[in-house]
Amino acid sequence: MVESKHKWRAWLYLSPAIVLLLIFTVWPIFNTIRMSLLEGYNSMAAVGGATYEFGLNNFKQVIGYDYFVDCLTNTMLLTVLTVPLSTILALLIAVCLNAIKPLQRTLQTIFFLPYVTNSIAIGMVFAAMFNMVGSAFGNENEIIVTAGIINNVLGVFGIEPINWINAGSSYAANITVMVVYIVWNALPFKILILLGGLQSINKQYYDAAKVDGTSRRRVFTKITVPLLSPMLAYVVITGFIGGFKEYSSIVGIFGEDMGPAGAPRRLNTMVGFIYDSLSTHQGRASAAALILFGIIFVVTLINLYVSKKKTHY
């Protein structure tokens, strides 16, 4: 407990962090709310002396904009597909890693490397892996198709090359690529959290189950998963928050067009919509940002409510 006569020292030490939070966190939040309520707000016009009326027109425009609905659909689809899949895979990998004693630390490091690698760089690698380029030459316009490693692997099993990300590719193929990339990119953090949770479980539970002759499947479902439920709830909640903020992974694979050639912005997300609107419609971008915040807040509350009933401490 800090004595009252020394409290000023505590505030003095905290003041740099408080000032930075006020400037770069608190003020932007209030400014975003302010701009979202100024109808048709544009910062350049405001500098020139333009005035704007308060209202909810920005929110009405965003919600009624078909393109925003498409971005919201893409965001929710990617989130719903990737969060459960990545969590299940991370849990299985963490259980396997926990059971392997030799080279455990080495394998942990290998699995964690994608987490500390630039997402744009990883996206470019995935784009090369799924790429399929056709080129014409000669008098007969012969077509040469250069397939990426994924199509080469599929060819071993007799499957024809699939146009994953190039011009003319389908929406389903584009979503498949993004799901594979996002799941792979999300695994390291989740594996690290779940592996730490597994190592903190009291071994007496497993010893008792072994004495009783309990099967591995029952040990996993009745001991491991319930005792790991706080960590599972955490990775699911953070996964949904990260999923709704998805943007850089799509840019890494498809570039700034956010879609294959001939179908630009096809895979744009809510964050991408906000960035697109910032240059000319700051009011609309601010309204979209608050809508995104509201969706994330509601989803997080739902996850917290469900996890509260399913979590064992």
Side-chain angles (χ1 to χ4, degrees):
M1 194 73 178
V2 180
E3 297 181 11
S4 56
K5 63 179 181 180
H6 296 303
K7 283 184 178 180
W8 66 270
R9 291 184 180 179
W11 285 108
L12 180 63
Y13 298 148
L14 287 173
S15 59
I18 293 174
V19 170
L20 290 175
L21 284 173
L22 289 174
I23 295 175
F24 295 105
T25 302
V26 177
W27 164 244
I29 292 174
F30 281 106
N31 194 39
T32 299
I33 297 174
R34 181 184 67 88
M35 290 190 297
S36 68
L37 297 174
L38 295 175
E39 297 185 358
Y41 179 82
N42 184 291
S43 58
M44 297 301 295
V47 171
T51 58
Y52 303 92
E53 294 183 358
F54 276 92
L56 300 176
N57 193 47
N58 289 326
F59 292 92
K60 294 178 181 179
Q61 288 183 351
V62 169
I63 295 174
Y65 195 25
D66 291 339
Y67 182 49
F68 174 78
V69 176
D70 294 338
C71 294
L72 178 60
T73 302
N74 290 336
T75 303
M76 297 188 69
L77 180 62
L78 290 174
T79 302
V80 170
L81 290 176
T82 58
V83 173
L85 184 58
S86 62
T87 303
I88 293 172
L89 287 176
L91 176 61
L92 296 176
I93 294 172
V95 171
C96 293
L97 281 177
N98 191 50
I100 299 174
K101 299 305 177 183
L103 301 177
Q104 186 182 82
R105 294 187 180 277
T106 302
L107 292 173
Q108 288 179 30
T109 303
I110 293 173
F111 275 104
F112 192 67
L113 282 176
Y115 188 71
V116 295
T117 306
N118 184 276
S119 58
I120 299 296
I122 296 176
M124 295 174 66
V125 172
F126 266 76
M129 291 171 58
F130 284 93
N131 196 20
M132 186 178 71
V133 181
S135 59
F137 70 96
N139 296 329
E140 299 180 358
N141 291 327
E142 183 179 358
I143 302 296
I144 297 295
V145 176
T146 304
I149 186 173
I150 300 300
N151 278 323
N152 286 331
V153 171
L154 294 177
V156 174
F157 299 95
I159 302 175
E160 293 294 324
I162 299 174
N163 186 2
W164 295 105
I165 61 175
N166 298 103
S169 58
S170 65
Y171 178 77
N174 299 158
I175 288 292
T176 301
V177 174
M178 291 312 311
V179 168
V180 171
Y181 170 69
I182 295 172
V183 168
W184 182 84
N185 197 36
L187 283 178
F189 177 74
K190 295 184 177 182
I191 291 173
L192 181 69
I193 297 297
L194 296 177
L195 186 59
L198 285 169
Q199 293 174 348
S200 67
I201 295 177
N202 194 326
K203 298 297 184 292
Q204 292 180 352
Y205 295 109
Y206 295 108
D207 293 338
K210 188 175 181 180
V211 171
D212 293 338
T214 308
S215 64
R216 290 186 177 182
R217 184 183 68 83
R218 190 168 179 81
V219 168
F220 177 76
T221 56
K222 299 300 182 180
I223 297 178
T224 302
V225 173
L227 294 178
L228 204 61
S229 56
M231 288 73 178
L232 287 170
Y234 173 75
V235 297
V236 168
I237 291 172
T238 55
F240 271 100
I241 293 173
F244 277 104
K245 297 191 297 182
E246 199 62 57
Y247 174 74
S248 59
S249 59
I250 302 173
V251 174
I253 293 180
F254 291 96
E256 294 182 357
D257 288 339
M258 303 285 285
R265 325 310 289 178
R266 173 190 281 177
L267 296 178
N268 201 3
T269 60
M270 292 185 67
V271 174
F273 177 87
I274 294 169
Y275 284 152
D276 292 342
S277 303
L278 278 176
S279 58
T280 55
H281 300 92
Q282 286 87 3
R284 185 186 302 171
S286 299
L290 291 179
I291 293 173
L292 176 59
F293 168 77
I295 293 173
I296 293 175
F297 183 72
V298 171
V299 171
T300 302
L301 289 179
I302 294 173
N303 279 321
L304 287 173
Y305 177 78
V306 173
S307 63
K308 185 177 181 180
K309 292 184 174 297
K310 301 294 182 182
T311 301
H312 302 271
Y313 293 96

